[in-house]
Amino acid sequence: MKNGSRFLHSLWNMRKGFHLNFDERSGKLSDIVVIGGGASGLLCAARSAQCGNHVTVVEKMPRPARKLMITGKGRCNLTNACFELDDLIANVPTNPRFLYSAFSNFMPYDTMALFEKLGVPLKIERGGRVFPQSDKAVDIVDALINYCVTSGAKIIQGAAEAFEFEGKRILSVILKDKTKIRGDKFVLCTGGKSYPLTGSTGDGYALAESAGHCIIPVKPSLVPLVAENNFITQLQGLSLKNISLKVFENGKQIYSDFGEMVFTHYGVSGPVILSASSHMRNMDKKKYKLVIDLKPALDEKTLDKRIQRDFMENANKNFMNSLSKLLPKKIIPVIVTLSGINPSQKVNQITKAQRLELVRLLKNIVIDISGFRPVDEAIITSGGVNVKEIDPKTMKSKLVDNLYFAGEIVDVDAYTGGFNLQIAFSTAVLCADNM
């Protein structure tokens, strides 16, 4: 893969600054014009070109798949080793049944086989998350670009601004520089509005609306959460592993998870928090609380015995100085304050009632959520083109004869763990196979 990657970087460096002349950009009819060179756009284009179609990809950024480069903290969690269709559907909270045909046509094992074939060895980590063995997202990006180029698709840099119509058909897409790309079929793969610096700025919504499509209001999903507790700023930067999380909506538990989280200056983030955010839909009308269990492996009785042992070892110490074996240093002052026990109280003077209250606290730290972080901090967005206006068996528009959709622009989103990229790949392949 290393030699292929160097070749690809050289190839792309030669291509990325190119300028096609007017005739070449606007005079030749493409069989398929793919708008958006992200994960879904590149795979859709490659698959379509392999079938012998003349395919043009319009990507506004200097290099395609910029957002893919930063997924999984730069490692790219490209799918999930979830090989049962029902399990895959269960990880999609928004319009899951719409994806039945897409998933059935191209499952996670198909994604894994494709990238292995493209020369990217993969590995499976906790929770079924699939990554390149190199831990480098660039290997996935390079493989997709190479697949696209070697299949015969042409990638051009340009910002799509409008469609030119004739009745219920699109004749061409008009770029920002006013040139036109003519085509027989058009695919919108422009993504959502998360991470706008990567080019994901929601441009495709306006194009879809111009074609008559309804856009479900876009909201952040898989996004950090803002908390209003006073102790949050004291914990900034603290990462917690192996904690359990429960989410309550107006007092009713709606979700639970286990894993890692991190405190920030505004609230909380990390894998379990991002997944939890997918279940929190209307902050204005609903009240949400998180309940963190710092010691999920221990029930209250076992945790109490553990604390008693620690207290016996530190009998003559102040309470504040007795928790270092039990908790991370940064969280101890917060726990002491929340417990209501005087930090200077000697451990051998702590009552059973106080100790049991401490046990309860360690397994029930309440965090009050007041909002989402901005949409440009979300991993993905919820909302987009209404699925009722798209044929789920083909990804074809029900309103425009030659318009298709794939990826995040559609109103579907999933939990963390590689499921959202699988949506991108599955919808791209279904779209390509039906054009």
Side-chain angles (χ1 to χ4, degrees):
M1 183 61 195
K2 288 184 178 178
N3 290 336
S5 181
R6 283 196 294 269
F7 160 76
L8 189 55
H9 280 303
S10 298
L11 174 65
W12 182 252
N13 285 335
M14 288 189 294
R15 294 174 60 86
K16 69 178 182 179
F18 67 91
H19 297 280
L20 297 178
N21 62 43
F22 181 86
D23 291 335
E24 199 172 358
R25 291 187 81 164
S26 61
K28 188 172 183 178
L29 178 71
S30 293
D31 296 312
I32 296 167
V33 178
V34 178
I35 303 170
S40 59
L42 291 173
L43 182 54
C44 181
R47 187 101 168 189
S48 299
Q50 274 194 322
C51 296
N53 293 304
H54 181 273
V55 182
T56 300
V57 180
V58 180
E59 166 57 41
K60 71 177 182 180
M61 300 299 285
R63 193 178 194 276
R66 287 289 300 276
K67 186 176 177 181
L68 199 56
M69 289 282 286
I70 63 174
T71 59
K73 296 181 180 179
R75 297 171 62 215
C76 190
N77 178 192
L78 72 155
T79 187
N80 190 284
C82 178
F83 298 154
E84 295 296 329
L85 181 58
D86 288 344
D87 292 340
L88 197 55
I89 292 289
N91 280 281
V92 181
T94 305
N95 298 316
R97 302 309 299 177
F98 174 82
L99 293 168
Y100 188 90
S101 293
F103 282 156
S104 299
N105 184 61
F106 197 77
M107 288 285 286
Y109 47 76
D110 296 310
T111 298
M112 295 173 69
L114 171 65
F115 281 98
E116 292 274 2
K117 184 178 179 181
L118 294 176
V120 185
L122 305 176
K123 61 181 177 179
I124 301 173
E125 296 187 359
R126 183 183 60 83
R129 290 168 168 82
V130 179
F131 294 89
Q133 285 186 15
S134 65
D135 285 328
K136 295 179 180 178
V138 67
D139 288 348
I140 299 297
V141 174
D142 284 352
L144 276 175
I145 297 174
N146 190 34
Y147 184 31
C148 195
V149 173
T150 57
S151 295
K154 178 187 294 182
I155 304 173
I156 67 170
Q157 185 182 353
E161 284 204 330
F163 285 134
E164 182 181 30
F165 293 92
E166 184 177 71
K168 288 189 174 183
R169 289 185 64 82
I170 299 171
L171 292 179
S172 65
V173 59
I174 303 171
L175 306 187
K176 189 174 183 178
D177 63 6
K178 304 308 176 187
T179 60
K180 300 177 182 179
I181 307 294
R182 298 172 57 215
D184 183 49
K185 294 182 175 71
F186 295 81
V187 192
L188 276 175
C189 302
T190 51
K193 294 187 71 173
S194 56
Y195 293 120
L197 292 179
T198 66
S200 183
T201 54
D203 300 351
Y205 300 139
L207 289 170
E209 282 186 310
S210 74
H213 279 276
C214 173
I215 305 300
I216 304 301
V218 176
K219 298 172 291 186
S221 185
L222 301 183
V223 65
L225 300 172
V226 179
E228 54 189 27
N229 307 72
N230 293 333
F231 59 78
I232 290 295
T233 55
Q234 294 175 252
L235 299 178
Q236 180 179 346
L238 174 65
S239 293
L240 298 175
K241 295 183 178 181
N242 301 320
I243 57 94
S244 74
L245 167 78
K246 294 178 182 177
V247 180
F248 290 85
E249 177 186 281
N250 295 338
K252 180 182 178 181
Q253 183 177 329
I254 60 169
Y255 181 69
S256 64
D257 202 354
F258 175 88
E260 301 177 19
M261 64 172 289
V262 62
F263 290 93
T264 66
H265 66 284
Y266 52 77
V268 285
S269 186
V272 297
I273 301 300
L274 298 180
S275 291
S277 71
S278 296
H279 298 265
M280 304 163 74
R281 294 292 173 179
N282 193 335
M283 289 286 184
D284 294 331
K285 296 183 179 180
K286 298 176 182 178
K287 190 172 183 63
Y288 290 97
K289 290 181 181 290
L290 307 182
V291 177
I292 309 297
D293 183 347
L294 295 178
K295 301 292 178 182
L298 305 177
D299 60 24
E300 289 195 5
K301 184 176 181 180
T302 306
L303 180 57
D304 183 35
K305 289 181 179 179
R306 163 68 194 277
I307 291 175
Q308 288 184 60
R309 289 197 301 271
D310 287 354
F311 279 3
M312 288 179 64
E313 293 177 7
N314 299 282
N316 295 315
K317 288 187 176 181
N318 293 340
F319 175 50
M320 173 67 82
N321 301 322
S322 68
L323 302 174
S324 58
K325 289 185 178 180
L326 187 67
L327 298 170
K329 182 179 179 180
K330 197 163 192 174
I331 203 172
I332 290 175
V334 171
I335 294 298
V336 169
T337 300
L338 293 177
S339 74
I341 302 173
N342 188 320
S344 299
Q345 184 172 340
K346 297 298 181 182
V347 169
N348 58 16
Q349 296 176 353
I350 292 176
T351 66
K352 179 180 179 181
Q354 288 176 314
R355 192 184 71 243
L356 292 179
E357 182 62 22
L358 174 63
V359 170
R360 189 203 65 79
L361 171 64
L362 294 177
K363 296 186 72 64
N364 296 275
I365 297 177
V366 177
I367 298 177
D368 300 305
I369 301 302
S370 58
F372 298 115
R373 288 295 286 173
V375 68
D376 58 7
E377 293 183 26
I379 293 178
I380 60 163
T381 44
S382 180
V385 179
N386 193 332
V387 297
K388 294 180 181 179
E389 301 168 352
I390 303 171
D391 184 346
K393 295 182 178 179
T394 62
M395 299 306 297
K396 181 178 179 294
S397 167
K398 293 180 180 180
L399 309 180
V400 180
D401 292 341
N402 62 339
L403 178 61
Y404 293 75
F405 299 92
E408 193 183 348
I409 190 172
V410 181
D411 182 27
V412 287
D413 60 272
Y415 303 139
T416 56
F419 298 104
N420 287 289
L421 272 177
Q422 185 59 46
I423 290 175
F425 295 139
S426 292
T427 54
V429 170
L430 184 65
C431 178
D433 289 352
N434 283 281
M435 288 192 296

